[in-house]
Amino acid sequence: MSAFVIETLIKILVLVLVFSFLGAFATYLERKVLAFFQRRLGPVYVGPWGLLQVIADGIKLFSKEDVLPQNANKIIFTFAPIIAMMSAFISMAPIPFFGDFTLFGHTIKPIISDINVGLLFFLAVGSVGIYAPLLAGLASGSKYSLIGAARAAIQLLSFEVVSTITILAPLMLVGSLSLVAINDYQAGGVTHWLVFKQPLAFVLFLIASYAELNRTPFDLLEHEAEIVAGYATEYSGLKWGMFFLAEYAHLFAFCFVIALIFLGGYNPLWFIPGGIAIILKVCFFVFLAMWARATFAHVRPDQLMQMCWKIMMPLALLNVAITGVIILL
């Protein structure tokens, strides 16, 4: 029992450290990708190819003055970025990042907890993250932050409904909410990937995921052209950094889940080992998110809600109905 507890604690520590680093490095990577699309250089001065820019940004965030607005609710204002971080990292508990491997004669499962409702846990804990921008906006004492909080409640709740309904169709085929079981269902090769059996669910879930992550063109929570920085307007220093570190950590988590559900997860891909295969899939989805940010313009709130409720929701329900009929036949 003690060995299990120690192993679990080590896994949690590794997960937090790795994804904290990846979240920080993703800021550099995104700036480079956006610079490539916009024909400019991006970070180049700090270190070779600007790689040390991440360290420079980290030093700035840690040393910058932590400003607390006069009219803010100080307790809730401080607690909001913590909720964002907790939601992002706790939601990773049921995600199998790789297949089992042996180290010094001991079999290691690269998953914190393989529960039989892993996907439901991921969606549920991830949805708790809505309280971060909501409470931040309400507690800041700023009209711009309040607008961002209102948009958070509308946008995130709407797309959580769509993503949950969309994922029902693949689950009807698999018959399990465990992400390990979903991965194993696709073990027969590329032709067994759920993306070919559920292409509509894949597209809808991908769009809904990017919307839940507050990624451009869906970043209405912090639309800098309209509301300065939305819910994060009054934040500075480390608290501000925690919001965006959580956003990138959640991006990696969603990319792992999408790869596990639709693209065969960590099953071997031809001659490519499973561990490398899932990393390549996740890198593709992260790049796709950055590509979308560089390509598409912002959408208006009414356009976003129209797309959600009048297009994506009917398509998701139709896909579930068709899948049910096919299974019965």
Side-chain angles (χ1 to χ4, degrees):
M1 183 64 181
S2 59
F4 172 77
V5 172
I6 293 173
E7 181 181 342
T8 303
L9 291 175
I10 292 174
K11 289 179 183 178
I12 294 173
L13 179 62
V14 170
L15 182 145
V16 171
L17 292 176
V18 168
F19 281 95
S20 295
F21 169 77
L22 288 176
F25 183 71
T27 61
Y28 164 82
L29 189 63
E30 182 157 34
R31 291 165 72 180
K32 277 293 191 181
V33 171
L34 293 178
F36 170 77
F37 278 103
Q38 297 165 0
R39 294 189 178 183
R40 52 188 178 84
L41 294 177
V44 291
Y45 292 109
V46 187
W49 304 288
L51 282 170
L52 298 181
Q53 185 67 49
V54 176
I55 299 176
D57 290 341
I59 294 172
K60 181 185 74 172
L61 289 177
F62 273 98
S63 59
K64 196 172 184 179
E65 181 183 2
D66 185 13
V67 178
L68 198 63
Q70 183 177 0
N71 298 323
N73 184 314
K74 295 176 176 56
I75 296 177
I76 298 178
F77 185 85
T78 303
F79 198 57
I82 298 175
I83 293 176
M85 291 288 290
M86 291 176 61
S87 171
F89 285 107
I90 295 176
S91 67
M92 297 180 186
I95 299 177
F97 297 102
F98 306 103
D100 298 352
F101 62 93
T102 302
L103 185 65
F104 302 118
H106 178 67
T107 301
I108 297 177
K109 297 179 179 292
I111 180 174
I112 294 175
S113 178
D114 181 17
I115 53 179
N116 58 1
V117 289
L119 182 56
L120 180 62
F121 180 90
F122 171 79
L123 294 174
V125 176
S127 66
V128 174
I130 187 178
Y131 286 105
L134 189 60
L135 293 177
L138 293 172
S140 293
S142 165
K143 61 182 179 181
Y144 302 110
S145 301
L146 186 60
I147 294 173
R151 288 184 174 181
I154 296 171
Q155 176 178 325
L156 300 185
L157 283 175
S158 298
F159 280 94
E160 280 168 10
V161 174
V162 171
S163 62
T164 304
I165 293 177
T166 298
I167 212 67
L168 288 178
L171 292 178
M172 291 165 66
L173 297 176
V174 178
S176 174
L177 282 163
S178 169
L179 287 167
V180 175
I182 295 173
N183 176 87
D184 294 343
Y185 177 84
Q186 305 169 82
V190 176
T191 56
H192 288 71
W193 287 4
L194 281 171
V195 67
F196 300 115
K197 298 179 181 180
Q198 291 289 330
L200 181 58
F202 168 71
V203 173
L204 293 177
F205 190 74
L206 183 65
I207 296 173
S209 299
Y210 287 164
E212 286 186 60
L213 290 168
N214 187 32
R215 299 285 307 175
T216 304
F218 310 119
D219 62 334
L220 300 180
L221 286 64
E222 45 168 304
H223 199 315
E224 68 277 359
E226 297 177 7
I227 50 177
V228 188
Y231 68 92
T233 298
E234 301 296 333
Y235 281 88
S236 61
L238 189 58
K239 290 191 183 74
W240 182 89
M242 289 173 68
F243 275 118
F244 294 95
L245 184 62
E247 179 183 316
Y248 282 109
H250 223 147
L251 171 64
F252 280 102
F254 258 106
C255 291
F256 267 101
V257 168
I258 294 170
L260 285 165
I261 297 174
F262 292 103
L263 295 186
Y266 52 79
N267 291 305
L269 179 61
W270 299 304
F271 61 90
I272 304 174
I276 297 176
I278 192 170
I279 290 176
L280 293 175
K281 296 167 189 174
V282 169
C283 289
F284 167 75
F285 285 118
V286 172
F287 172 75
L288 188 63
M290 297 176 181
W291 188 357
R293 177 174 179 178
T295 304
F296 295 106
H298 292 288
V299 296
R300 297 197 313 263
D302 62 307
Q303 292 174 329
L304 186 64
M305 290 299 101
Q306 182 177 8
M307 182 184 73
C308 176
W309 294 106
K310 292 186 178 181
I311 300 176
M312 295 179 66
M313 177 65 79
L315 287 175
L317 292 172
L318 180 64
N319 190 47
V320 171
I322 293 174
T323 303
V325 171
I326 291 175
I327 292 174
L328 288 175
L329 295 177

